[in-house]
Amino acid sequence: MNERIIDFLECSKYAFSESVKKIKKSYILFISLIVRSIFEGMKGLSVLNSSYLASLINYLIEILILCFVAQALRSIVLYNNTGKKSIENSISNFFYLIMAAMFSIYIVELIFDNLLSGFDPTISNTLKILFKFFTSAVIELVYIDSVYGFTILIDSFNFVKNNIFIWGIYALIYTLVETFLINKIVVNTLVLGNEFIYVMLLAIWETLFLLFKGHLYKILSKHSYGQRKFMRG
């Protein structure tokens, strides 16, 4: 157990230090996440979800926003730059990857909504949070490993399961806080002052945590626990 704790601390230290070094280069990521946070509030308005056409438009808009988020993350986490010069390539680089990943998630969420429609809200919300927890590595799988399609759900599940002690702890924190802030944005969508506060909080939270997750994913996916233990001597 001592080795597991040391591994947790070492991986966390690496991800945290790398994130701090690159935080100044994350302004494009931050702007993209502000837009995404605002969009989360708009999706909460019933008028935007009143038809299949509206749902399709929401789906496409979310894909486009995530293209810019993925491009910014790739630039910062993998290449240590702001992504300013590559932002125009966001859609061409990531549209099909993000679309395939989001379609996989959308199908599962649709099945969940149908199967859980008669269940107690606490049970359905808990299951939805668990689904978000086990798909918490999807964005990293997209922009770091270029994984797409339904296999991305299996890959994310396996990655979380295999790194439950390190990734799992942070993924749970990330998922719970993100869910809480999104709910606050939706509830306060028509209260401009309150919504602005929660939009900014969510954008800041996701900027910091997505940088952290990106670097954590890099070290966990590149080296197994046995390899990391061997490298420490």
Side-chain angles (χ1 to χ4, degrees):
M1 180 56 72
N2 287 339
E3 280 294 334
R4 288 287 183 181
I5 294 174
I6 292 172
D7 188 50
F8 174 84
L9 294 175
E10 287 292 326
C11 291
S12 300
K13 180 182 177 182
Y14 166 80
F16 180 77
S17 62
E18 288 298 306
S19 300
V20 170
K21 289 177 186 175
K22 299 173 182 178
I23 193 67
K24 291 182 180 180
K25 300 179 179 180
S26 63
Y27 59 88
I28 291 177
L29 173 63
F30 180 61
I31 293 170
S32 301
L33 289 170
I34 289 176
V35 175
R36 185 167 184 247
S37 298
I38 294 171
F39 179 67
E40 290 292 344
M42 292 173 64
K43 284 198 302 182
L45 290 174
S46 58
V47 68
L48 296 183
N49 298 290
S50 57
S51 68
Y52 287 111
L53 178 60
S55 297
L56 177 61
I57 292 172
N58 284 344
Y59 172 67
L60 292 174
I61 291 174
E62 186 165 15
I63 290 171
L64 293 176
I65 294 172
L66 285 174
C67 287
F68 288 95
V69 172
Q71 182 64 53
L73 282 168
R74 173 183 278 184
S75 298
I76 301 168
V77 174
L78 298 186
Y79 303 114
N80 194 25
N81 63 66
T82 63
K84 183 178 179 180
K85 295 181 179 179
S86 59
I87 190 171
E88 62 188 33
N89 300 320
S90 299
I91 295 175
S92 60
N93 286 343
F94 286 104
F95 184 80
Y96 291 107
L97 285 171
I98 295 288
M99 183 175 66
M102 291 304 297
F103 181 73
S104 303
I105 292 173
Y106 175 76
I107 291 298
V108 175
E109 288 180 338
L110 189 62
I111 294 172
F112 266 38
D113 287 339
N114 289 327
L115 292 178
L116 301 175
S117 59
F119 280 68
D120 184 286
T122 303
I123 296 175
S124 60
N125 289 335
T126 300
L127 290 175
K128 287 177 182 178
I129 289 174
L130 278 174
F131 178 67
K132 290 185 72 173
F133 171 75
F134 280 109
T135 56
S136 58
V138 164
I139 189 68
E140 287 78 23
L141 283 161
V142 167
Y143 80 82
I144 293 177
D145 290 332
S146 299
V147 179
Y148 65 94
F150 277 100
T151 58
I152 200 167
L153 300 183
I154 299 170
D155 289 346
S156 181
F157 177 86
N158 287 331
F159 178 79
V160 175
K161 176 177 64 71
N162 293 335
N163 297 282
I164 197 72
F165 185 66
I166 300 177
W167 183 272
I169 291 174
Y170 290 116
L172 182 60
I173 295 170
Y174 173 75
T175 301
L176 291 175
V177 174
E178 182 193 47
T179 301
F180 170 78
L181 290 174
I182 289 175
N183 287 339
K184 284 293 186 180
I185 291 172
V186 172
V187 170
N188 291 280
T189 298
L190 299 178
V191 185
L192 188 58
N194 291 349
E195 183 194 14
F196 175 76
I197 293 171
Y198 287 114
V199 162
M200 295 304 294
L201 285 175
L202 180 60
I204 293 170
W205 170 257
E206 291 205 319
T207 298
L208 297 175
F209 227 99
L210 285 175
L211 283 179
F212 180 84
K213 281 174 68 222
H215 291 103
L216 188 62
Y217 178 87
K218 274 174 57 179
I219 190 170
L220 293 178
S221 61
K222 187 176 181 181
H223 303 291
S224 67
Y225 168 70
Q227 290 173 325
R228 296 194 301 272
K229 183 178 178 180
F230 177 78
M231 287 188 293
R232 285 194 296 272

